Amino acid sequence: MGSTDHRPLPAGPEPPAHTAPPAVRADTAPPAGVPSGAAAAPGPPPAGRPRRRRPTRLRWLHLLVLLSLAGVGVAAGDAVFVVHDLGRWGEVQACAALDDLPPDGGQAARLLGRGARYDRCATGFELVRGLAQLGGAVGVLGLAGVAVLLDGLSARHAVRRRVRRRPAGERGVAVVRERFEHWCDTLGLDRRRPQLVVAPVGVRQAYTTAVPFGRPLVVVPVAHAYGRPDLLDLVLLHELAHVRARDVAWASATRWTGGLILPVLVLVVTPVLVDPGPATRYYALTLPVTALFAAGTLLARAAVLRRREHAADRFAVDHADLRDALAAAGGDDDPPRRARWWRPGRWLARHPTGAQRVRALDREPRWEDGFTVAVVAGLVAMFGFQSLLRLLTHGGGPVPPGDAGDVAVAAAALCWAVVVVPLWSRRPASVRRRWSRMLGSGLGLAGGYLLPGYGATSPVYGVFLAGFHLGAFAALLPVLVGVGAVAVGFAEAVARVPSGIRRRATLVATVLAVAVLLTAVLTTATLLVFGHWAWHSGPIDRALWSTPGLAARVALPAVPLAALLLVCRPTRPRRPPRPATSPPDAAPGPSPVVAGPRRLVALILLTGGTAVVAGLAATDLVAGRTAGGDAFFLLFLRWWLCASAGWWVASVVLLARGVRGTAVAWTAGAGVTVVAGTVQFARDVVGGAGPAPAHLLAFLERPAWLLLAALVVASPPVLLLRELWTGWWARARRRRPARRHGPRASWPPPVLAALVAVAVVGGVAAGWTAPVTGRAGDWDLLRSARVEPAAPDDGRPRPAARDPGRPLDRAAVDAALAEARRSLPVDWTPAPGLSPFGATDPAGVRPSACADRFAADARAERARPASAEGTVVLAVPATTLPPLGATFQLRLTSYPSADAAARVLAAARQAVTACPRWSYPSALADGGVAHRWTVAMPRADLPYDSLRVRITDSSTLGGLPAVAGGTRVVVAVGRTVLSAEIALGIPFRDQLEPKERLLLDDLAVVGARLVVHALDS
């Protein structure tokens, strides 16, 4: 769909007319006056280099560059949205004001249990914003397509106009056309044979161009017809390599990425130029992320175009003995590296130099399927997930909000698998490169999942990740590295499948299986994020991650099916055995664990059968030990016994074959797990249980999901252990003299594997794996957990689950406060040194009547000794309550009698009525005096008698006003008095806004409700 602006070879000096040969060097010049292209064709390629059937195709790398450009286009669309206020932010604020919602919405509204109401107000805003971002991405890609089309048309028109004005000589045209037709016939270019244009004098570079749905056009300068014949063949094969790769349009689009990205960046910076204040704060993270995307796009663009030229050179050299021609054409035009390593042009250059072309023949450039591209692919996919999820969540489209996360994750996972699996399936990789792929994919996916998207200061799940981003990253990284390990193993298995229809079908099935696996892992991780935010409970986390969702149920058959397709491939002839008299320094033989497919099958059968029998025997022991206990835990433990049997068999295969045995490992592990589940079901049927299909499905589905999760987590450590073991084995074999007599013993690996299988299953049955497999009561705890700690009570008192009149000891008070604390955001950090907002020293209070009143209350409080009391003081971050954050306090005091608690609440009411306004000493205030107002508010929506008071402190600091506002809620629960208090300070203002007041009121009530719930339970 356009022209490629590459520089394959210089054409040499141009002839002054079409009747004389070009002036070339004496050592390479042909006989005078004779077109050199009529010489015989070069001979076959050297014996040491195999002939390539087709050049390396880089479509996936071109696609990655275009996706990065689309990411920059998302930022441009967001910039247009901000500058023109397409979302009408004022209308969103007005809607929030009518519903008494916080002014900034978002996290504060969700903390109050009003997130759905705020989302309804912001639906149009988020929809337009998502459409603007999507329009930016589509618009930039559309501009690239238009540029490719116009470039191709203009290149065709320019070269044909030049040919019409000054046609090339007939003899030169005939020579070039003859060699061109020869190489087209040799390469089998019949249906897609390109057109040839022999350019006249003045065109110095050969290139290939194309327009949409048109035949490629190869332009060759006529000067090549008067030079060395091997140079002409090299130029023609180089251009035909681009035609065979079918990437002319892709390369043109990649080249135009550099011309489009700078205007798009200027558009992204526009909001800062139009409105520097709010736009700079809003774009605090958008600008650096966009700059990083742009820089990565430019570097990847240049690298892909250089790699494309190297691939075409290698294809040309492999089809004919043209290495000397490439060296002669390139020359030594590469300056010393010391003089140019720091130059930006070295990294942004689209064309390699002649010396670089020659050096590239001796080394295989594999950066495109290594660490860097793996990281970039993961980041791009997860940034797409962030943008798509915001659009689906707030767009009001056909996707229900509850399914938006799964759909967004599935789309991102599919994009990631479509890029990386074909890249990794081209050729087997070294051990180092395999680990680069695994670690790079894990880092890119985990970082993109936790980094904020465009136009945001936090990721889409930032509210639930607050305070434990690092912990979430540490938990996600090994799991996503495991997904990368599965993708690497499957890709290398695809590389061994013969080309044809079967290879294409297998590749499609593998891509879909890897995408489904990544979707299942990320949706489960999201479920754990929500659960950890809600409960902060390890047992509940275990119960959640052991529950297969919809994506997991799809992955259960998809992954083993793809693995089975990779296993059932045509067998290739086995290598002849190595002579027994091989020297001691020869290369190490097969894996030290097992050698040969027959021995591997025997090992799988022996280990799997042992594990299944051990699991069946362990079931009776576990049932006898847990009789009368948690029946569901016993059932769950039996599922784990089935999964552990399959896991160990798969681990044995991975230890034997490494990454290349991933498909066999998944197939063998799934088969053993299915057999174990069926045996367990048959055991129940024989014992008298009804043969219910649901019971059989549970014994097949749940162990399969546990096996899938265990293999993803355990694959990297098992593979690392295998690499370390084989490395030690190879070194030991080099040091040990070769055995000349007697067969090698084959019994230790099977016996050892069978013994460890019994140990693994027995460890699960004995409870040694309880931190992973779970403990009794996990599911009961999940079923009894409260899902929404901030849910309203509908104004109706709830009866207490326990007697609220009971006295509390210090342990009960601390437990109730800890339970309430777990339901608050994690980033609300403890701050025990802060003093309560409403506390004052009666000695300095004015008027004196209020001082006397407060002193009398203090004496009465000391006369009522409390049986137990506790306080939790939290610092609310400024990101939640700007500009300085707030102080949140929860206090519990238990008295010996209910009358004492009632008197405390009555005294608090009387103090508000008697002293609504007073002043007190303040060291920071001008004049050393600050003023305080208290206003009694309507009774809070709580099931017990309560008091809610607004408190306002006003003072001047350095001649400027300052205000601190807060709310205190006091509740009497039997003999216990609880108080929840929040204080927010704002400088340079003399009063709080109404919305800020309402927010503080609601947060104080939420804190009191959490403590009430904790006391009731």
Side-chain angles (χ1 to χ4, degrees):
M1 294 186 300
S3 65
T4 59
D5 183 17
H6 59 273
R7 186 183 60 188
L9 295 169
E14 297 178 7
H18 298 292
T19 57
V24 296
R25 293 183 303 178
D27 57 343
T28 59
V34 179
S36 60
R49 182 187 297 274
R51 173 172 291 184
R52 294 175 180 267
R53 297 182 59 186
R54 64 183 182 185
T56 302
R57 294 183 176 180
L58 305 177
R59 293 180 182 176
W60 312 112
L61 290 177
H62 292 300
L63 177 62
L64 185 61
V65 174
L66 292 178
L67 288 177
S68 300
L69 177 64
V72 182
V74 170
D78 198 61
V80 174
F81 173 81
V82 172
V83 171
H84 297 283
D85 191 19
L86 300 180
R88 298 182 179 181
W89 179 244
E91 296 182 3
V92 178
Q93 292 292 84
C95 176
L98 293 176
D99 289 342
D100 291 333
L101 297 174
D104 291 333
Q107 181 175 355
R110 288 175 176 83
L111 289 176
L112 301 175
R114 303 178 185 176
R117 293 170 60 185
Y118 185 85
D119 290 341
R120 285 194 295 269
C121 290
T123 297
F125 177 85
E126 295 293 344
L127 175 60
V128 176
R129 178 182 175 183
L131 292 177
Q133 293 178 350
L134 180 62
V138 175
V140 171
L141 294 179
L143 286 177
V146 172
V148 169
L149 175 62
L150 296 179
D151 187 22
L153 293 176
S154 62
R156 283 174 172 261
H157 177 71
V159 70
R160 287 175 175 172
R161 182 180 59 182
R162 197 160 191 172
V163 169
R164 288 195 302 268
R165 288 183 176 179
R166 190 179 182 184
E170 295 182 359
R171 289 188 301 170
V173 172
V175 170
V176 175
R177 187 170 297 279
E178 177 186 357
R179 300 305 299 162
F180 179 79
E181 296 296 335
H182 165 74
W183 285 117
C184 287
D185 295 336
T186 303
L187 299 178
L189 293 175
D190 297 327
R191 294 180 302 173
R192 194 175 173 79
R193 176 165 299 197
Q195 299 177 357
L196 174 67
V197 173
V198 181
V201 176
V203 177
R204 300 181 57 84
Q205 305 297 335
Y207 60 90
T208 303
T209 184
V211 294
F213 308 106
R215 293 167 57 189
L217 181 68
V218 177
V219 179
V220 180
V222 70
H224 286 295
Y226 300 94
R228 291 173 48 175
D230 53 353
L231 290 180
L232 175 60
D233 290 331
L234 179 64
V235 170
L236 292 176
L237 280 174
H238 182 100
E239 300 304 326
L240 292 177
H242 294 318
V243 177
R244 284 290 305 272
R246 299 181 182 179
D247 64 346
V248 178
W250 288 96
S252 182
T254 302
R255 182 175 63 86
W256 271 103
T257 300
L260 293 175
I261 204 165
L262 292 179
V264 174
L265 283 178
V266 172
L267 186 60
V268 172
V269 182
T270 302
V272 180
L273 302 178
V274 173
D275 193 356
T280 302
R281 177 177 62 87
Y282 180 76
Y283 271 60
L285 290 177
T286 299
L287 286 178
V289 169
T290 307
L292 181 64
F293 251 106
T297 302
L298 292 177
L299 292 175
R301 162 185 174 268
V304 170
L305 292 177
R306 291 196 304 268
R307 175 71 175 89
R308 179 174 179 264
E309 298 303 314
H310 290 315
D313 289 340
R314 189 172 292 106
F315 177 81
V317 171
D318 288 348
H319 270 76
D321 189 9
L322 299 175
R323 185 184 181 93
D324 294 338
L326 182 63
D332 190 12
D333 58 345
D334 193 13
R337 295 187 178 184
R338 293 181 180 178
R340 65 190 300 259
W341 68 268
W342 52 270
R343 298 180 182 179
R346 179 171 180 261
W347 303 102
L348 299 177
R350 297 174 296 167
H351 310 294
T353 62
Q356 290 173 347
R357 289 177 181 272
V358 177
R359 289 197 301 266
L361 296 177
D362 298 325
R363 63 175 184 269
E364 188 74 14
R366 295 183 175 180
W367 61 267
E368 68 271 11
D369 55 3
F371 179 82
T372 304
V373 173
V375 172
V376 174
L379 285 174
V380 171
M382 288 297 101
F383 271 112
F385 155 72
Q386 300 265 2
S387 301
L388 182 59
L389 181 56
R390 281 192 171 89
L391 177 61
L392 295 178
T393 303
H394 305 288
V399 179
D403 300 331
D406 296 346
V407 173
V409 169
L414 183 61
C415 291
W416 179 78
V418 163
V419 172
V420 299
V421 173
L423 273 177
W424 295 346
S425 64
R426 287 183 175 176
R427 53 180 175 265
S430 62
V431 173
R432 180 179 179 182
R433 185 155 298 274
R434 289 173 190 151
W435 281 99
S436 297
R437 295 171 178 177
M438 298 178 201
L439 295 177
S441 60
L443 287 172
L445 292 170
Y449 184 85
L450 297 176
L451 289 177
Y454 286 127
T457 57
S458 64
V460 289
Y461 299 130
V463 175
F464 311 101
L465 290 169
F468 58 97
H469 288 79
L470 185 59
F473 181 81
L476 273 175
L477 183 59
V479 179
L480 293 176
V481 170
V483 175
V486 175
V488 169
F490 280 19
E492 294 205 2
V494 171
R496 298 193 296 271
V497 176
S499 59
I501 299 298
R502 180 174 181 181
R503 180 185 176 90
R504 296 191 186 96
T506 305
L507 180 60
V508 171
T510 304
V511 169
L512 293 177
V514 172
V516 171
L517 177 64
L518 179 58
T519 303
V521 168
L522 288 179
T523 51
T524 305
T526 304
L527 177 65
L528 286 175
V529 166
F530 292 158
H532 188 77
W533 176 83
W535 297 293
H536 298 280
S537 172
I540 292 181
D541 290 344
R542 286 196 300 264
L544 288 175
W545 86 272
S546 302
T547 304
L550 177 61
R553 289 186 172 92
V554 176
L556 296 181
V559 177
L561 178 60
L564 190 62
L565 290 175
L566 295 173
V567 171
C568 298
R569 62 180 184 275
T571 58
R572 297 188 178 184
R574 300 179 61 185
R575 295 181 180 179
R578 192 176 60 180
T581 59
S582 57
D585 58 347
S591 170
V593 179
V594 66
R598 293 183 179 179
R599 296 178 62 188
L600 180 62
V601 172
L603 182 60
I604 291 174
L605 294 177
L606 176 62
T607 307
T610 304
V612 171
V613 173
L616 186 63
T619 300
D620 295 328
L621 299 177
V622 174
R625 191 178 72 244
T626 59
D630 189 351
F632 189 84
F633 172 69
L634 173 61
L635 185 61
F636 192 79
L637 197 60
R638 293 174 63 191
W639 293 336
W640 261 114
L641 292 175
C642 300
S644 61
W647 173 81
W648 175 241
V649 171
S651 299
V652 168
V653 178
L654 289 177
L655 289 172
R657 294 291 180 87
V659 174
R660 296 185 178 182
T662 303
V664 180
W666 280 74
T667 304
V672 171
T673 300
V674 169
V675 172
T678 306
V679 170
Q680 291 281 359
F681 172 74
R683 174 190 177 278
D684 291 349
V685 173
V686 172
H695 193 50
L696 175 61
L697 180 62
F699 268 106
L700 296 180
E701 182 184 76
R702 190 63 70 96
W705 165 246
L706 297 175
L707 170 69
L708 185 145
L711 279 179
V712 169
V713 175
S715 291
V718 171
L719 293 174
L720 180 60
L721 178 63
R722 197 258 183 190
E723 300 300 339
L724 295 177
W725 168 255
T726 53
W728 173 85
W729 180 270
R731 290 191 298 269
R733 284 179 62 88
R734 294 190 186 99
R735 292 192 300 264
R736 185 176 58 192
R739 296 180 56 182
R740 297 177 178 271
H741 305 287
R744 184 171 55 184
S746 59
W747 59 266
V751 172
L752 180 62
L755 291 178
V756 177
V758 176
V760 169
V761 175
V764 175
W768 298 340
T769 59
V772 176
T773 58
R775 293 184 172 90
D778 287 355
W779 279 95
D780 293 335
L781 183 61
L782 177 61
R783 288 197 298 265
S784 63
R786 291 176 298 276
V787 179
E788 296 182 355
D793 287 310
D794 299 329
R796 293 175 297 177
R798 293 187 302 108
R802 299 180 182 178
D803 180 16
R806 71 191 188 283
L808 302 179
D809 56 8
R810 182 56 187 270
V813 169
D814 292 341
L817 291 176
E819 175 66 21
R821 169 70 182 90
R822 279 195 294 268
S823 299
L824 294 171
V826 183
D827 58 343
W828 292 19
T829 56
L834 296 179
S835 60
F837 174 59
T840 55
D841 185 6
V845 173
R846 295 293 182 271
S848 58
C850 292
D852 296 340
R853 176 76 189 190
F854 296 155
D857 291 343
R859 289 191 299 270
E861 180 66 23
R862 288 193 296 269
R864 290 189 297 267
S867 59
E869 62 180 351
T871 304
V872 173
V873 181
L874 304 175
V876 181
T879 54
T880 303
L881 293 177
L884 303 177
T887 304
F888 193 81
Q889 176 186 270
L890 299 177
R891 184 178 181 182
L892 264 181
T893 306
S894 183
Y895 296 98
S897 65
D899 294 339
R903 285 196 296 270
V904 170
L905 187 60
R909 285 197 176 97
Q910 295 171 6
V912 174
T913 304
C915 292
R917 180 175 179 178
W918 71 92
S919 62
Y920 63 96
S922 176
L924 299 178
D926 296 344
V929 177
H931 306 279
R932 176 168 295 175
W933 290 267
T934 59
V935 178
M937 300 297 295
R939 180 178 175 274
D941 181 17
L942 294 170
Y944 303 100
D945 191 14
S946 63
L947 169 68
R948 181 169 54 167
V949 181
R950 279 183 179 176
I951 305 174
T952 303
D953 272 11
S954 179
S955 61
T956 57
L957 304 176
L960 297 175
V963 64
T967 301
R968 178 192 298 170
V969 177
V970 183
V971 186
V973 184
R975 304 183 186 189
T976 303
V977 175
L978 70 91
S979 66
E981 184 178 287
I982 188 168
L984 171 67
I986 300 179
F988 315 132
R989 281 168 51 182
D990 56 358
Q991 60 181 351
L992 270 66
E993 296 180 357
K995 287 296 179 182
E996 295 168 339
R997 292 280 191 185
L998 292 175
L999 177 60
L1000 296 178
D1001 294 345
D1002 290 340
L1003 286 176
V1005 174
V1006 167
R1009 183 180 293 118
L1010 292 176
V1011 180
V1012 170
H1013 287 180
L1015 291 175
D1016 287 350
S1017 59

